[in-house]
Amino acid sequence: MNDLDLNTLLGAEDDGGRTRRGRGRGSRRRRRRRNRGGFVAPLLAFVVLAGIIGGGGYYGYMWLNDALVPDDYTGQGTGEVVVEIKDGQSASDVAQELERQGVVASARAFTNAIGNANRSGSLQPGSYKLRKKMSAASAVALLIPDNRLLAKVTLKEGLRLSDTLKTLAEETGKPVKEFAAAARDVDQLDLPKYAKGKLEGYAFPATYEVQPKSTPTQILAAMVKRFNQTAEQMDLEGGAKALGHTPHEIMVIASIVQAEAGRQEDMPKIARVIYNRLESKPQMKLAMDSTVMYALNKYGTAASFAETKTKSPYNTYLHLGLPPGPITNPGDHAIEAALNPTKGPWLYFVATDPKSNVTKFATTEAERQALLAEYRRNGG
């Protein structure tokens, strides 16, 4: 083989080699270009899709945020609104009422706020002074028992019904005529059957918290309810039966004890005098000045001779036995004394010193006259 052939052969091999290598490199470049194009397109699609999803997510978040976060005012609000929470109302009921009256922006803002404060079950019935357009949290803060609008009315033991109604009218600002009408409508007061349809004696004396929107009927019904609770605690019916009397008779005795006693410690002894007179053979008239004064619409325990001649079933100087009904609204001490009289033989008692309210007791007429003399020496 000559050099030419060798060169030719080598050149052919070189050209062939270059051709194959060149073709290989071009193919790889074309594949890389194709690969770059294949990657960029999905990337661009992903970016576009992410933008769409991201935009939708933002607006979706804003929609959910508006749906989940209720409308609410800010600040303490302005003006004045009196809102009443009624017995048995839930936090949701109150929330709707607050929204209706323009106190909070939405009922849900209030239920959220009171739930966050862990007070959903602590709302107390009553009237509260709030403001218009206040934040739900501010409204929750004001709905506490200490902020209830209440009138405290104290009714003393021994007040007659007529004076009880006047006191209620003065303290609540409601007309006394409305209280008088409510007192006559006893079907609405839940009086016990033994009261014989009369409120006198059963309007229990105590201190009451009266809401501004309470009606005279509701106020009197609360007083009767308090009496019923006291009667149950003392077992009035059972105690009366043990003493051979009706519950109504016990209340009549308690009312006389309340009117006659100057001191609490004398009440059981005065009750014993009443029982001893009722049970004496022959039966004695009670001859209680307080019953005569009730008949005359006066107060006091010292009736004149002329007053003891008053023609009235309540005049125990003229009639045997108990008067037809209570003459006062007795308190728990007087009722307790009527149910548990002190043991003793006394038939008389005299308030020997009106200034100190000291009462002394006697068994015979001679002892009674001696006590009356002491009473006169003390200015009676």
Side-chain angles (χ1 to χ4, degrees):
M1 181 180 292
N2 55 26
D3 292 337
L4 179 60
D5 294 334
L6 179 60
N7 291 332
T8 301
L9 178 59
L10 291 173
E13 289 175 354
D14 288 341
D15 290 341
R18 284 193 298 270
T19 300
R20 285 192 296 268
R21 286 194 299 271
R23 288 174 182 172
R25 286 194 298 271
S27 176
R28 284 195 296 271
R29 282 194 298 269
R30 283 193 296 273
R31 283 198 299 271
R32 284 197 295 271
R33 283 195 298 269
R34 284 197 299 269
N35 287 342
R36 283 195 299 269
F39 171 75
V40 169
L43 178 62
L44 289 173
F46 173 78
V47 170
V48 172
L49 181 60
I52 294 172
I53 293 173
Y58 171 77
Y59 288 108
Y61 167 78
M62 293 302 292
W63 181 84
L64 285 173
N65 186 63
D66 290 340
L68 295 175
V69 179
D71 292 337
D72 196 3
Y73 296 124
T74 59
Q76 300 298 314
T78 58
E80 183 178 298
V81 183
V82 175
V83 176
E84 181 184 9
I85 298 178
K86 298 178 181 178
D87 191 22
Q89 280 192 318
S90 66
S92 297
D93 296 330
V94 175
Q96 293 172 11
E97 180 63 18
L98 293 178
E99 181 181 348
R100 187 186 71 80
Q101 294 200 40
V103 175
V104 298
S106 65
R108 195 146 54 83
F110 179 81
T111 55
N112 287 352
I114 200 167
N116 292 337
N118 294 320
R119 290 186 48 218
S120 297
S122 64
L123 291 175
Q124 298 295 312
S127 295
Y128 299 82
K129 187 182 293 185
L130 302 176
R131 290 180 285 273
K132 292 274 190 180
K133 296 184 178 180
M134 61 191 310
S135 71
S138 298
V140 170
L142 291 181
L143 292 175
I144 58 176
D146 288 346
N147 285 344
R148 287 183 295 177
L149 300 175
L150 298 169
K152 285 193 174 183
V153 182
T154 298
L155 300 165
K156 297 185 297 182
E157 294 90 347
L159 277 182
R160 294 173 187 162
L161 181 61
S162 58
D163 292 312
T164 296
L165 301 183
K166 289 178 184 177
T167 302
L168 289 171
E170 291 169 359
E171 295 295 329
T172 64
K174 302 178 188 298
V176 69
K177 290 182 178 180
E178 293 184 8
F179 281 101
R184 290 191 296 269
D185 190 11
V186 293
D187 291 340
Q188 304 298 317
L189 303 181
D190 196 26
L191 276 171
K193 291 182 179 179
Y194 53 78
K196 298 184 177 180
K198 301 291 185 181
L199 183 57
E200 185 80 87
Y202 300 95
F204 194 80
T207 297
Y208 294 90
E209 293 182 339
V210 180
Q211 299 179 25
K213 295 184 179 180
S214 296
T215 65
T217 296
Q218 290 172 330
I219 295 169
L220 294 180
M223 299 175 71
V224 174
K225 181 179 180 180
R226 178 69 179 273
F227 166 78
N228 289 332
Q229 292 171 342
T230 300
E232 183 177 356
Q233 290 169 0
M234 293 186 175
D235 189 19
L236 176 60
E237 295 190 41
K241 185 176 181 181
L243 290 166
H245 289 276
T246 67
H248 182 68
E249 289 171 339
I250 296 297
M251 290 305 298
V252 175
I253 294 170
S255 73
I256 297 173
V257 170
Q258 185 74 70
E260 293 282 352
R263 301 180 303 178
Q264 178 184 329
E265 56 262 38
D266 294 328
M267 287 183 173
K269 281 188 175 183
I270 293 174
R272 173 51 62 193
V273 170
I274 294 173
Y275 283 114
N276 286 346
R277 289 195 173 198
L278 291 174
E279 296 166 5
S280 66
K281 302 294 183 183
Q283 184 179 351
M284 296 175 63
K285 292 176 182 176
L286 291 182
M288 297 289 170
D289 290 3
S290 57
T291 66
V292 175
M293 296 308 226
Y294 180 81
L296 295 170
N297 197 26
K298 296 180 179 180
Y299 278 103
T301 56
S304 68
F305 178 78
E307 288 171 335
T308 62
K309 302 302 180 181
T310 300
K311 292 182 179 180
S312 167
Y314 284 88
N315 185 351
T316 55
Y317 277 89
L318 293 181
H319 304 283
L320 284 169
L322 293 167
I327 62 171
T328 66
N329 290 295
D332 49 3
H333 295 302
I335 299 173
E336 183 68 30
L339 287 170
N340 299 280
T342 302
K343 291 182 179 180
W346 311 289
L347 291 171
Y348 309 95
F349 62 87
V350 178
T352 55
D353 187 354
K355 293 180 181 178
S356 63
N357 291 324
V358 171
T359 299
K360 293 185 179 181
F361 297 82
T363 302
T364 67
E365 178 61 26
E367 291 173 346
R368 173 177 174 269
Q369 289 299 327
L371 293 179
L372 286 172
E374 184 179 347
Y375 165 72
R376 286 189 288 270
R377 288 195 300 271
N378 289 327

mmCIF file of all heavy atoms in Angstrom, residues 84 100 139 143 176 214 223 290 311 361 367:
data_model
loop_
_atom_site.group_PDB
_atom_site.id
_atom_site.type_symbol
_atom_site.label_atom_id
_atom_site.label_comp_id
_atom_site.label_asym_id
_atom_site.label_seq_id
_atom_site.Cartn_x
_atom_site.Cartn_y
_atom_site.Cartn_z
ATOM 1 N N GLU A 84 -83.999 44.188 78.659
ATOM 2 C CA GLU A 84 -84.465 43.263 79.688
ATOM 3 C C GLU A 84 -84.120 41.827 79.310
ATOM 4 O O GLU A 84 -84.434 41.382 78.206
ATOM 5 C CB GLU A 84 -85.979 43.373 79.890
ATOM 6 C CG GLU A 84 -86.508 42.448 80.985
ATOM 7 C CD GLU A 84 -88.015 42.485 81.131
ATOM 8 O OE1 GLU A 84 -88.686 43.093 80.267
ATOM 9 O OE2 GLU A 84 -88.537 41.905 82.100
ATOM 10 N N ARG A 100 -81.506 43.421 67.584
ATOM 11 C CA ARG A 100 -82.766 44.083 67.209
ATOM 12 C C ARG A 100 -82.810 45.521 67.716
ATOM 13 O O ARG A 100 -83.303 46.422 67.023
ATOM 14 C CB ARG A 100 -83.951 43.299 67.764
ATOM 15 C CG ARG A 100 -85.314 43.798 67.296
ATOM 16 C CD ARG A 100 -86.447 43.079 67.989
ATOM 17 N NE ARG A 100 -86.534 43.469 69.380
ATOM 18 C CZ ARG A 100 -87.104 44.594 69.810
ATOM 19 N NH1 ARG A 100 -87.629 45.453 68.943
ATOM 20 N NH2 ARG A 100 -87.157 44.876 71.098
ATOM 21 N N ALA A 139 -70.566 45.017 75.457
ATOM 22 C CA ALA A 139 -71.915 44.668 75.911
ATOM 23 C C ALA A 139 -71.863 43.529 76.920
ATOM 24 O O ALA A 139 -72.550 43.558 77.947
ATOM 25 C CB ALA A 139 -72.785 44.288 74.718
ATOM 26 N N LEU A 143 -73.222 43.254 81.158
ATOM 27 C CA LEU A 143 -74.337 42.367 81.526
ATOM 28 C C LEU A 143 -73.958 41.491 82.715
ATOM 29 O O LEU A 143 -73.896 40.271 82.632
ATOM 30 C CB LEU A 143 -74.750 41.515 80.317
ATOM 31 C CG LEU A 143 -75.398 42.291 79.171
ATOM 32 C CD1 LEU A 143 -75.658 41.368 77.992
ATOM 33 C CD2 LEU A 143 -76.697 42.947 79.619
ATOM 34 N N VAL A 176 -100.800 53.532 93.016
ATOM 35 C CA VAL A 176 -101.312 52.661 94.064
ATOM 36 C C VAL A 176 -102.591 51.968 93.603
ATOM 37 O O VAL A 176 -102.900 50.853 94.053
ATOM 38 C CB VAL A 176 -101.547 53.469 95.365
ATOM 39 C CG1 VAL A 176 -102.701 54.445 95.198
ATOM 40 C CG2 VAL A 176 -101.781 52.538 96.543
ATOM 41 N N SER A 214 -91.326 45.329 86.049
ATOM 42 C CA SER A 214 -92.197 44.431 86.811
ATOM 43 C C SER A 214 -93.556 45.085 87.023
ATOM 44 O O SER A 214 -93.650 46.266 87.365
ATOM 45 C CB SER A 214 -91.572 44.101 88.169
ATOM 46 O OG SER A 214 -90.371 43.383 88.013
ATOM 47 N N MET A 223 -94.181 38.310 96.432
ATOM 48 C CA MET A 223 -94.339 38.341 97.885
ATOM 49 C C MET A 223 -95.094 37.110 98.374
ATOM 50 O O MET A 223 -94.756 36.526 99.415
ATOM 51 C CB MET A 223 -95.060 39.627 98.294
ATOM 52 C CG MET A 223 -94.292 40.884 97.916
ATOM 53 S SD MET A 223 -95.204 42.401 98.266
ATOM 54 C CE MET A 223 -95.138 42.413 100.050
ATOM 55 N N SER A 290 -105.399 45.406 119.386
ATOM 56 C CA SER A 290 -104.901 45.499 118.009
ATOM 57 C C SER A 290 -105.975 45.138 116.986
ATOM 58 O O SER A 290 -106.018 45.711 115.899
ATOM 59 C CB SER A 290 -103.682 44.595 117.832
ATOM 60 O OG SER A 290 -104.013 43.248 118.161
ATOM 61 N N LYS A 311 -118.669 47.974 116.301
ATOM 62 C CA LYS A 311 -119.343 46.800 115.746
ATOM 63 C C LYS A 311 -118.584 46.322 114.509
ATOM 64 O O LYS A 311 -118.700 46.910 113.432
ATOM 65 C CB LYS A 311 -120.787 47.140 115.396
ATOM 66 C CG LYS A 311 -121.661 47.424 116.610
ATOM 67 C CD LYS A 311 -123.107 47.703 116.215
ATOM 68 C CE LYS A 311 -123.969 47.951 117.459
ATOM 69 N NZ LYS A 311 -125.386 48.226 117.094
ATOM 70 N N PHE A 361 -96.401 39.470 131.983
ATOM 71 C CA PHE A 361 -97.471 38.491 131.839
ATOM 72 C C PHE A 361 -98.076 38.155 133.204
ATOM 73 O O PHE A 361 -97.387 38.177 134.234
ATOM 74 C CB PHE A 361 -96.932 37.234 131.151
ATOM 75 C CG PHE A 361 -96.440 37.510 129.748
ATOM 76 C CD1 PHE A 361 -95.169 38.023 129.534
ATOM 77 C CD2 PHE A 361 -97.263 37.280 128.664
ATOM 78 C CE1 PHE A 361 -94.724 38.298 128.245
ATOM 79 C CE2 PHE A 361 -96.828 37.546 127.381
ATOM 80 C CZ PHE A 361 -95.563 38.059 127.169
ATOM 81 N N GLU A 367 -103.255 39.971 139.325
ATOM 82 C CA GLU A 367 -101.921 40.233 138.739
ATOM 83 C C GLU A 367 -102.040 41.184 137.554
ATOM 84 O O GLU A 367 -101.186 42.069 137.370
ATOM 85 C CB GLU A 367 -101.288 38.910 138.297
ATOM 86 C CG GLU A 367 -100.888 37.996 139.444
ATOM 87 C CD GLU A 367 -100.416 36.636 138.962
ATOM 88 O OE1 GLU A 367 -100.644 36.302 137.770
ATOM 89 O OE2 GLU A 367 -99.820 35.896 139.762
#
